[in-house]
Amino acid sequence: MKISYKWLSQYLDEKPTIDELSKILTSTGLEVEGVEAVELVRGGMKGLVIGQVVSCEKHPNAEKLSLTITTTDGENRLSIVCGAPNVAAGQKVIVATVGTTVHPNSGEPFEIKKAKIRGEISEGMLCAEDEIGMGESHDGILVLPEDATLGESAATYFNLDNDYQIEIGLTPNRTDAMSHLGVARDIAAYKRQKVNYPELQHVKIFQDDSVIRINIENGEACTRYMGVKISGITVQESSAWIKEKLRTIGLNPINNIADITNYVLHETGHPLHAFDADKIDGNEINVRFAKENEQLTTLDKAPRKLTTDHLVIAHAKAPMALAGVMGGLDDSITQKTTHIFIESACFNPSVIRKSARISGLKTDASFRYERGTSPEATSYALQRAIDLILQECTSAKVTSEILDIYPNPQEAETVHLGFANFERIIGKKIRIETIEEVLLALEFEIVENYGDGMIVKIPSYRTDVKREIDVIEEFLRIYGFDAVSDLKQIAYAPTKQGHDLNQKENIKDQLADLLANLGFNEIMGLTFIRPDMAQLGLAPNCEIVSLQNPLNEDLSAMRTSLLFSMLDTVVYNTNRRNSDIKVFELGRTYFQTGERTVETNKLTVSICGNQTPEHFEVKQQKADFFQLKKYLNMLISRLGLKELSFEKIDNPMLSPAYKVKSGKISLGIMGEIAPKLLKKYDLKQNIFTFELDLDILLKESIAVKTTFKELPKYPEVRRDLALVVDNTVTYTQINEIVKQLKSDLITGVNLFDVYKGDKMPEGKMSYALSFTLQDRNATLSDIQIDKVMQKIITTFEKSLGAVVRQ
C-alpha cells in the first residue's frame, strides 16, 4: 500500500521526519518496504522564477511573436521573445532563465539557451501551463496574480516541496491501516497524540421529486447500505490539491467525482461508488445476487456473464455494478452527468472475495472489502465525500435525505482483560495507568476497571480484534517490543514433540547456516505452479494436487519439486545480468496418492555461472557437477551420515540424473537441469542441482550417535597408485572395493587424476589414486605399507581386471 508523507502529516500535530516515521511504522507492525521521493512536477520547477513583463512590443520581423523586456529582480532586464497571444506589459509571469531545464508535460526536457529568434536576442522563456507541468493549457503564458513576489522561485510560490511515497507491507488482518487516517492512528497512538480527523460539515438538504428507494435482499451479504443524491453537478477536472495527492500515491486523476471517491477511499479506507442518478431505472436500487447469465459491462469495458455467486447493485431492470468490486460502464459518470447517487456500503468479505475471484478482478475496493470493513465507517466516508463534492462543485446541492439501510446494527465488541494474564504473556509487570494510556491512544474505550482486570470496548475500525490476546498484542505493538527486551523469563508452551521438534529445527538451522557461510543465498518460492511443470516432478503412481479455486491457470497446481522456484529465481537474476548464482531453499512439496495428500519437506541446492567472483588473480572456472558434489558431501558430513553413493537414473528434469544414497537409504536426486527444461525457461547456462528429502535427512541425522576418538599420535603415510581399467569402471566401484577390504590401516582414498588420452588402449582409461595409511598405535613400517598396497593391487586386478600403470 502506498502512502503520501505530506498527506499523512496533515492529520498529525507533530510531524515526524521521514526517517523517524519509517522507524515508527515498522516498529508498530506496518513494515516500511520502501521510501521514494516524489516530484509533484517533473523537474521540481528548478530554475523557474517569478518575473514581470516591463514592456511588450510586436517583434519587428515576425507577426505572431512579441519582443518583451522582463525582469526577475526589479533591476536587471532580460530581452525575451514570446509567441503567446496573451502576453502584455505589467503581467507577473513564470520565467525560465538561461541554463534552466524545462520539463514539459509531453516530450523530452530541454535547456533554455541564449539565442537569436528572427534576428532578436532572446534570454529566456515565458512559460505556459503545459510547459512546466502545471496544467494542460497551451493557449498562452501562465499569468499570476499581481501580489506574486518578484524573484520568488516558482516551486516556493506553488508550494511544491517534494513529497515522499511510502510503501507499506500490510498483513491481511490490518484493514484498519489501509488508509492515511488508519496509518495516522498508529503514529498518533505511538506518540500519544490525537488524530486530526477532518471535520464534517452540516449538510443542507434540498427536496427533489425523484425519491430513490433502496432494497437489500440478503442482509448477510450486505450488512449496511447508505446513499445520497446530489444534483447540479459539473463533471470537470479536480482541484490541483486533490490531483497532487492522488498522483503522489500512483493514481491518475480522472474527473472531480471519480477523484473524490478515490480520495476518500485512500483517506478513510472505505470504498465508495458514484452512479449517474438519471440512469437508475425506476429510481430504485436493489442489492441482490445476480440471476444466472445476467450481463454487465464493467468500467474496464469488459462484458461479463454473471452467475448467482455475484453480488450486484441493480436498478429496476438490470445490474449497475459488481458490488464491492467494480462499477458498470452504462451507469457510470460522464461529462454530461448532472445528477449523481453516491453509495457507501458494508459487504460480507467472503461474498466479495468470491465475486472478485470469479470475475478475475482485483480493485482497490475489493482489496479492502475482502478483508473486512467497518459498518460504522460507512457513514463517515459518505459524509466526507458529500463535503468534498460540495466544496469542488459550487453549484451542487444535496437533493435527498442520506438514505441508511442498516437492519441489524452491530454492537461494539467488549473484551475482558485480566492483568495477571497480561503480565504472564508479556513477561513484565506493566503499570495499569500505562495500559490505559496506550489503549485510549488507540481509541479503545475502558468500560470498567474492576481491580484485577478491565473491560475494554473495541473501536469499530478494528474488525480483527476479538479476544483478550488481540488486545494484548495491540498494547504491545504500540508500547514497543523493545521496551520489554530486558525479560528475565519468557512464557513458553512446549509441544508434545518439543524435544524432537527443536532438534530438527536446530539441524535445519545448521544446514542453512552452513550453506550461507559457503556463499549461498536462501530463497522462498511460490507453492503454486503450472500443472505441466508439476507433472515433471511427480514420482510414478502419483498425481498432482490441483487447486479448486486457483488465482489463475498458471498457478493451479501445488509444486511437486522445489526446482521450479529455483529456475524462476535464476531467470529473474540472469535477466538482470547476474548469472553467477548459488541458492538453496527449504520448503514443502505436495503430491496425491489415492485419496491421500502427501506433504514432504525438501532441501534444494543449485549453482550456475562462475565458481568465484571475477578477479585479476583468479582464473575463472565454471560451476560444474563436482563443485556441487563437494557441497553435498559437506552437508552430509555435517549431519554425520554415511558416505554417499550415486546411482544413475532417468529423470525428466535432470540430465544426467543420479539417485543419492547413504548406505541403503535413498536421500534424493542430483544432476544437471535437462536441456528441454532449460529451453522452457529460456535459460542458456548449465545449472547443477540436488534435491534431498529433508524429512529423511533429519530422521537419519537424529539417529546418529556421536563418538569421539583421541587424536592420532603417529604420522600418516600417503601412497599413490595409477590403475588402467575399462572406461566403464566408475570411481564409486573403486571406492566400494576399498571399503570391502575392511583394513583399519586405510584411513582415506582420493581420486586426483583421470586420463583418457591417445596413449591408452582403446576402451581403457587411467585412474590416479592416493591412499592414506595410518596406525593409531604405532609408526607404520615399510613392510606393513607394502603389504597393504599389494593387497589393494591384487584386489583391483581380480575385481576389475585392472593393470598397474608404470
Side-chain angles (χ1 to χ4, degrees):
M1 184 187 70
K2 295 179 175 65
I3 291 290
S4 157
Y5 172 70
K6 288 176 67 176
W7 189 350
L8 183 67
S9 297
Q10 72 187 39
Y11 307 117
L12 303 169
D13 288 331
E14 293 181 21
K15 298 170 179 55
T17 65
I18 189 65
D19 290 336
E20 183 187 359
L21 181 68
S22 297
K23 291 176 182 176
I24 293 172
L25 290 177
T26 300
S27 70
T28 57
L30 304 179
E31 184 180 359
V32 174
E33 296 180 341
V35 176
E36 182 180 347
V38 178
E39 289 182 338
L40 302 178
V41 172
R42 268 207 314 168
M45 289 193 167
K46 292 176 183 175
L48 301 180
V49 295
I50 297 175
Q52 185 169 25
V53 180
V54 178
S55 66
C56 178
E57 300 175 354
K58 287 290 183 184
H59 192 292
N61 304 316
E63 184 179 344
K64 293 186 178 180
L65 298 180
S66 299
L67 184 60
T68 72
I69 300 298
T70 303
T71 181
T72 59
D73 59 6
E75 296 180 5
N76 297 306
R77 299 292 190 262
L78 299 172
S79 177
I80 299 177
V81 175
C82 180
N86 65 328
V87 63
Q91 292 173 335
K92 294 285 182 70
V93 294
I94 301 295
V95 181
T97 55
V98 172
T100 298
T101 299
V102 175
H103 295 260
N105 284 349
S106 59
E108 294 298 317
F110 58 91
E111 184 181 348
I112 301 298
K113 298 180 180 179
K114 185 175 181 179
K116 271 194 175 183
I117 301 176
R118 294 290 184 92
E120 296 294 332
I121 294 291
S122 185
E123 302 171 292
M125 183 176 82
L126 308 185
C127 303
E129 281 185 6
D130 65 330
E131 289 170 333
I132 57 174
M134 287 300 296
E136 303 299 326
S137 173
H138 193 68
D139 295 336
I141 59 172
L142 182 61
V143 179
L144 305 178
E146 291 183 6
D147 60 356
T149 304
L150 199 64
E152 185 178 34
S153 73
T156 302
Y157 178 80
F158 288 111
N159 192 26
L160 289 178
D161 296 332
N162 281 353
D163 200 350
Y164 293 94
Q165 184 189 91
I166 307 166
E167 182 80 31
I168 296 176
L170 287 175
T171 51
N173 65 308
R174 292 301 307 277
T175 51
D176 64 290
M178 294 177 184
S179 65
H180 285 77
L181 279 172
V183 174
R185 269 193 297 259
D186 271 8
I187 298 166
Y190 183 88
K191 297 180 78 67
R192 309 298 192 270
Q193 300 177 10
K194 287 189 176 180
V195 179
N196 296 325
Y197 289 98
E199 290 187 13
L200 301 177
Q201 306 299 314
H202 177 72
V203 177
K204 183 179 180 182
I205 299 171
F206 296 83
Q207 286 303 116
D208 186 276
D209 293 335
S210 54
V211 178
I212 293 177
R213 298 174 301 280
I214 298 172
N215 176 44
I216 299 176
E217 293 188 6
N218 189 313
E220 290 185 4
C222 177
T223 53
R224 188 177 191 181
Y225 191 96
M226 298 184 69
V228 68
K229 184 177 178 181
I230 303 178
S231 303
I233 294 293
T234 303
V235 178
Q236 58 192 6
E237 192 175 323
S238 296
S239 295
W241 68 272
I242 291 182
K243 293 190 293 183
E244 170 194 316
K245 285 180 167 56
L246 295 180
R247 285 189 180 119
T248 301
I249 59 173
L251 297 179
N252 292 321
I254 301 169
N255 58 53
N256 52 354
I257 305 302
D259 293 349
I260 286 170
T261 57
N262 274 330
Y263 180 90
V264 174
L265 167 67
H266 289 278
E267 180 181 57
T268 68
H270 196 86
L272 303 171
H273 187 70
F275 299 98
D276 187 323
D278 292 332
K279 298 175 182 177
I280 300 175
D281 197 282
N283 281 330
E284 67 178 66
I285 286 178
N286 300 298
V287 185
R288 62 173 173 83
F289 283 100
K291 299 169 185 175
E292 197 68 42
N293 295 325
E294 268 191 310
Q295 301 284 332
L296 174 67
T297 301
T298 44
L299 286 171
D300 57 359
K301 300 181 181 178
R304 302 183 184 278
K305 185 180 289 188
L306 306 179
T307 71
T308 53
D309 288 322
H310 286 104
L311 186 69
V312 297
I313 310 299
H315 55 54
K317 294 182 178 179
M320 298 188 294
L322 275 177
V325 181
M326 185 179 283
L329 186 64
D330 295 340
D331 306 278
S332 62
I333 305 297
T334 68
Q335 292 295 320
K336 297 179 180 178
T337 299
T338 56
H339 302 81
I340 64 172
F341 180 83
I342 301 181
E343 72 165 20
S344 179
C346 186
F347 300 111
N348 186 308
S350 60
V351 171
I352 302 304
R353 191 179 304 117
K354 191 171 187 179
S355 179
R357 180 184 53 75
I358 294 171
S359 306
L361 288 170
K362 290 291 179 184
T363 62
D364 281 340
S366 68
F367 179 76
R368 287 158 176 81
Y369 277 130
E370 286 177 26
R371 288 156 177 79
T373 57
S374 163
E376 301 307 314
T378 305
S379 174
Y380 182 86
L382 180 61
Q383 293 185 66
R384 177 67 170 144
I386 294 170
D387 288 352
L388 290 173
I389 290 171
L390 296 181
Q391 177 182 320
E392 287 290 295
C393 299
T394 54
S395 59
K397 295 179 179 180
V398 177
T399 51
S400 80
E401 298 288 340
I402 296 178
L403 307 171
D404 187 1
I405 310 300
Y406 194 13
N408 298 303
Q410 295 183 10
E411 293 187 9
E413 299 270 357
T414 56
V415 170
H416 287 260
L417 181 64
F419 297 140
N421 204 29
F422 190 94
E423 182 180 339
R424 181 185 65 80
I425 291 170
I426 290 182
K428 179 180 178 180
K429 189 174 183 63
I430 307 289
R431 293 173 62 247
I432 295 174
E433 292 79 9
T434 303
I435 297 173
E436 291 181 347
E437 179 186 70
V438 172
L439 293 179
L440 289 171
L442 281 167
E443 299 180 13
F444 286 69
E445 184 182 335
I446 310 300
V447 177
E448 181 185 346
N449 194 325
Y450 53 84
D452 59 349
M454 62 174 65
I455 299 174
V456 179
K457 184 181 288 187
I458 311 302
S460 62
Y461 72 82
R462 287 312 301 264
T463 57
D464 61 313
V465 176
K466 305 286 186 185
R467 306 164 299 163
E468 180 187 44
I469 190 67
D470 298 331
V471 178
I472 295 172
E473 181 186 359
E474 282 303 291
F475 169 85
L476 192 54
R477 205 170 53 78
I478 301 301
Y479 179 72
F481 290 93
D482 293 341
V484 291
S485 59
D486 58 340
L487 297 181
K488 295 180 181 177
Q489 62 180 25
I490 297 175
Y492 169 67
T495 60
K496 290 181 180 179
Q497 297 178 317
H499 176 71
D500 184 51
L501 181 65
N502 289 341
Q503 200 170 356
K504 286 182 178 180
E505 290 302 319
N506 286 337
I507 295 171
K508 284 170 67 175
D509 288 344
Q510 288 177 29
L511 293 178
D513 288 344
L514 173 61
L515 288 166
N517 291 336
L518 290 171
F520 284 82
N521 290 302
E522 185 173 5
I523 62 174
M524 294 179 67
L526 284 176
T527 308
F528 310 134
I529 59 172
R530 284 165 40 191
D532 59 327
M533 290 299 178
Q535 204 71 41
L536 292 175
L538 275 180
N541 303 318
C542 296
E543 298 178 356
I544 62 175
V545 179
S546 298
L547 302 179
Q548 291 184 347
N549 300 309
L551 297 172
N552 59 57
E553 287 305 312
D554 285 344
L555 299 173
S556 61
M558 304 291 281
R559 65 182 177 185
T560 51
S561 170
L562 303 186
L563 295 181
F564 304 114
S565 53
M566 177 274 294
L567 289 167
D568 287 334
T569 301
V570 174
V571 169
Y572 184 88
N573 279 271
T574 52
N575 287 344
R576 287 155 181 79
R577 306 182 68 83
N578 177 27
S579 56
D580 301 338
I581 298 168
K582 294 166 69 176
V583 293
F584 74 96
E585 181 172 6
L586 295 157
R588 290 185 177 184
T589 60
Y590 308 83
F591 64 89
Q592 195 90 16
T593 171
E595 295 184 357
R596 190 166 68 97
T597 300
V598 180
E599 298 182 20
T600 307
N601 288 298
K602 295 286 183 74
L603 165 66
T604 293
V605 175
S606 304
I607 59 173
C608 63
N610 293 315
Q611 292 190 18
T612 56
E614 190 174 19
H615 193 276
F616 71 94
E617 287 187 336
V618 179
K619 185 178 179 181
Q620 287 291 2
Q621 188 174 351
K622 290 291 184 183
D624 58 23
F625 183 88
F626 298 102
Q627 182 196 13
L628 183 70
K629 185 180 176 185
K630 177 183 74 174
Y631 293 134
L632 175 58
N633 282 323
M634 293 174 76
L635 284 177
I636 296 303
S637 175
R638 174 62 64 89
L639 293 173
L641 303 186
K642 292 180 181 178
E643 192 172 344
L644 296 177
S645 61
F646 300 88
E647 177 186 326
K648 197 161 187 178
I649 58 171
D650 291 326
N651 187 291
M653 295 186 293
L654 303 177
S655 179
Y658 299 90
K659 182 185 287 185
V660 181
K661 299 175 74 176
S662 174
K664 294 182 179 180
I665 299 169
S666 178
L667 300 180
I669 57 174
M670 176 180 180
E672 183 178 348
I673 297 296
K676 286 185 178 179
L677 191 54
L678 289 177
K679 189 175 181 181
K680 282 189 176 184
Y681 281 85
D682 195 25
L683 288 167
K684 295 179 173 58
Q685 62 177 343
N686 298 334
I687 303 174
F688 302 90
T689 186
F690 62 77
E691 183 171 78
L692 306 181
D693 189 315
L694 191 59
D695 293 324
I696 294 175
L697 278 178
L698 297 176
K699 179 182 176 183
E700 293 301 314
S701 180
I702 290 172
V704 170
K705 292 183 178 180
T706 304
T707 58
F708 298 90
K709 291 181 180 179
E710 185 182 358
L711 290 173
K713 299 176 182 178
Y714 301 97
E716 61 184 24
V717 176
R718 169 175 166 150
R719 289 290 185 269
D720 294 346
L721 185 64
L723 296 177
V724 177
V725 294
D726 292 340
N727 57 17
T728 56
V729 174
T730 65
Y731 173 66
T732 300
Q733 289 176 269
I734 292 174
N735 208 14
E736 284 299 317
I737 290 170
V738 174
K739 287 179 186 177
Q740 289 169 13
L741 292 174
K742 296 181 179 179
S743 171
D744 293 336
L745 299 181
I746 303 173
T747 58
V749 58
N750 181 52
L751 174 67
F752 65 85
D753 189 39
V754 177
Y755 178 68
K756 296 180 180 180
D758 53 5
K759 295 180 181 179
M760 284 287 104
E762 187 175 350
K764 299 290 184 178
M765 62 188 295
S766 173
Y767 281 125
L769 306 165
S770 67
F771 294 87
T772 306
L773 309 177
Q774 188 177 46
D775 189 338
R776 300 183 65 86
N777 302 313
T779 302
L780 286 171
S781 65
D782 289 342
I783 294 173
Q784 287 176 295
I785 295 168
D786 291 341
K787 185 178 179 181
V788 173
M789 292 305 298
Q790 188 56 52
K791 186 177 180 180
I792 291 172
I793 292 169
T794 302
T795 305
F796 283 151
E797 288 174 343
K798 287 180 179 179
S799 303
L800 303 174
V803 176
V804 176
R805 187 180 177 197
Q806 301 298 330

